[in-house]
Amino acid sequence: MLAGLLRLCLAAGLIATALGPAPGHAVDVQFPVGSSLGLVPPPGLNLEGTIPGFRDAEHNVSILMLELPPGAFDAIRGSLITDAAKPHGVIIDERETLFTDAGAGLLSVGNDTNGHRRRWMLLAQMPRFTALVTVEVPDEARKLYPDDVIRKALTTLSLRDAPIEEQLGLLPFRLTDLGGFRVVAVVNRNAVILTKGEQDNIHVVDQPHLVIGIGPSGAAPSRDWPRMAEITFNSLPGYVDRQITTSEMIRIDGAPAYEIRALARDAVTGDPVMMVQWVRFGGSAFVQIVGITTQAHWERDFPHFRAVRDGIQPRS
């Protein structure tokens, strides 16, 4: 899980990219809670809770806006063509480049003959993620939401720098002790990146970093937890020449966990670093905490890593 997150961050370079709402529709654009994407919704579609989009529950019409890793663009683009959609019962009748307030995107529109609805997919490469906007309009609601109304709404797609506090509120856990760290970014509503220092680049090796996220563990028996933790650790990108120094089961706030400490080198700079990973097990998911700092600053930073770790609480 965190491997994919770190790849996203490495590909993006600087995690915190300043994004502002498009000037043409800034007053009318609505942004879901914690979302970097927003638009001017057609009348009848409204924000609903923490869903990243808009919904007309009475007529079962929805607009969903997803923020995906940068590499998702190429993977999804192939599904927008007619031959790829046809086996799924979708007959595409429109494909075009749509110019929105957030930039150009690839638009695909067609009729879902299985679901009896009109489907829209807008795919766009943003500065630090891939945007995927999907619209579903049941056949019986097409008079209320005709094509020209949906297309006009999609052209208002806009970007902002989503407030960190909103994003933190969407995480499935709370951070009760930041240990002197500051929040750099919240990713995919299930992970957060922390650092100390002025720069947000995770390759600034002289700044300690923490990455905390949730991953599914299924119903894995406890005897498999050490192996799962080691696989998770070895999947972390960006670091080479790893030498595990300790690897053991521990308990965190009374719950079973697995700790791995290791020496390594940053793959970009070649600088030596020390890493610690804690995987805290429980139920159908696990919490993964990864701390990284220089060897020279290990004794200074490790207690603060542990303070953040011990302050992670489930959101009630």
Side-chain angles (χ1 to χ4, degrees):
M1 183 277 303
L2 288 190
L5 169 63
L6 286 175
R7 287 190 185 95
L8 184 154
C9 298
L10 295 173
L14 292 179
I15 297 168
T17 301
L19 298 173
H25 299 280
V27 174
D28 301 318
V29 170
Q30 298 180 39
F31 292 89
V33 175
S35 176
S36 299
L37 294 169
L39 51 74
V40 181
L45 283 165
N46 302 292
L47 296 171
E48 186 172 293
T50 60
I51 296 173
F54 305 87
R55 188 164 180 249
D56 176 349
E58 180 181 355
H59 299 100
N60 201 25
V61 177
S62 64
I63 298 178
L64 187 65
M65 301 179 295
L66 301 177
E67 301 172 31
L68 306 174
F73 184 87
D74 290 331
I76 297 174
R77 179 167 52 183
S79 68
L80 302 183
I81 63 176
T82 302
D83 290 344
K86 190 175 294 184
H88 301 283
V90 179
I91 308 302
I92 294 176
D93 51 57
E94 295 183 37
R95 292 187 70 243
E96 62 180 281
T97 298
L98 186 71
F99 294 93
T100 77
D101 290 336
L106 303 177
L107 179 66
S108 176
V109 189
N111 294 321
D112 182 348
T113 57
N114 293 331
H116 305 291
R117 61 189 60 234
R118 187 78 162 155
R119 289 186 181 273
W120 301 67
M121 290 182 66
L122 176 62
L123 183 69
Q125 190 77 74
M126 299 300 175
R128 56 186 175 88
F129 60 86
T130 294
L132 177 62
V133 183
T134 62
V135 185
E136 294 192 359
V137 181
D139 290 346
E140 57 270 24
R142 288 187 62 180
K143 288 186 178 180
L144 293 174
Y145 298 94
D147 284 4
D148 60 333
V149 169
I150 299 298
R151 179 176 279 98
K152 181 180 179 181
L154 292 177
T155 63
T156 68
L157 183 68
S158 302
L159 286 172
R160 69 166 179 170
D161 190 9
I164 288 293
E165 288 304 317
E166 286 188 16
Q167 297 180 65
L168 288 174
L170 297 174
L171 290 171
F173 54 83
R174 295 181 298 112
L175 301 177
T176 63
D177 187 346
L178 291 180
F181 287 83
R182 65 180 177 85
V183 177
V184 174
V186 177
V187 183
N188 293 340
R189 302 185 174 210
N190 68 356
V192 61
I193 301 171
L194 309 174
T195 192
K196 287 185 181 181
E198 297 181 355
Q199 299 193 55
D200 295 334
N201 190 338
I202 63 174
H203 283 308
V204 179
V205 178
D206 58 354
Q207 286 187 194
H209 290 82
L210 266 172
V211 184
I212 306 164
I214 297 290
S217 62
S222 58
R223 66 176 179 273
D224 291 339
W225 290 348
R227 182 178 59 86
M228 289 175 57
E230 291 183 7
I231 291 173
T232 301
F233 177 76
N234 290 328
S235 298
L236 292 170
Y239 299 92
V240 297
D241 300 333
R242 296 177 218 198
Q243 302 175 43
I244 294 178
T245 57
T246 63
S247 178
E248 61 181 340
M249 287 292 301
I250 62 171
R251 299 193 76 82
I252 301 174
D253 195 24
Y258 201 83
E259 178 185 278
I260 294 176
R261 302 188 195 185
L263 302 171
R265 289 187 179 276
D266 184 276
V268 173
T269 65
D271 293 326
V273 298
M274 291 197 70
M275 309 173 66
V276 60
Q277 173 190 266
W278 292 289
V279 177
R280 181 172 173 175
F281 299 95
S284 61
F286 63 84
V287 180
Q288 183 184 9
I289 308 121
V290 177
I292 304 159
T293 189
T294 63
Q295 293 183 24
H297 292 152
W298 174 256
E299 295 296 331
R300 179 198 69 184
D301 294 330
F302 181 76
H304 300 290
F305 291 156
R306 192 163 50 194
V308 176
R309 178 203 74 182
D310 293 343
I312 299 172
Q313 297 296 326
R315 191 171 295 280
S316 57

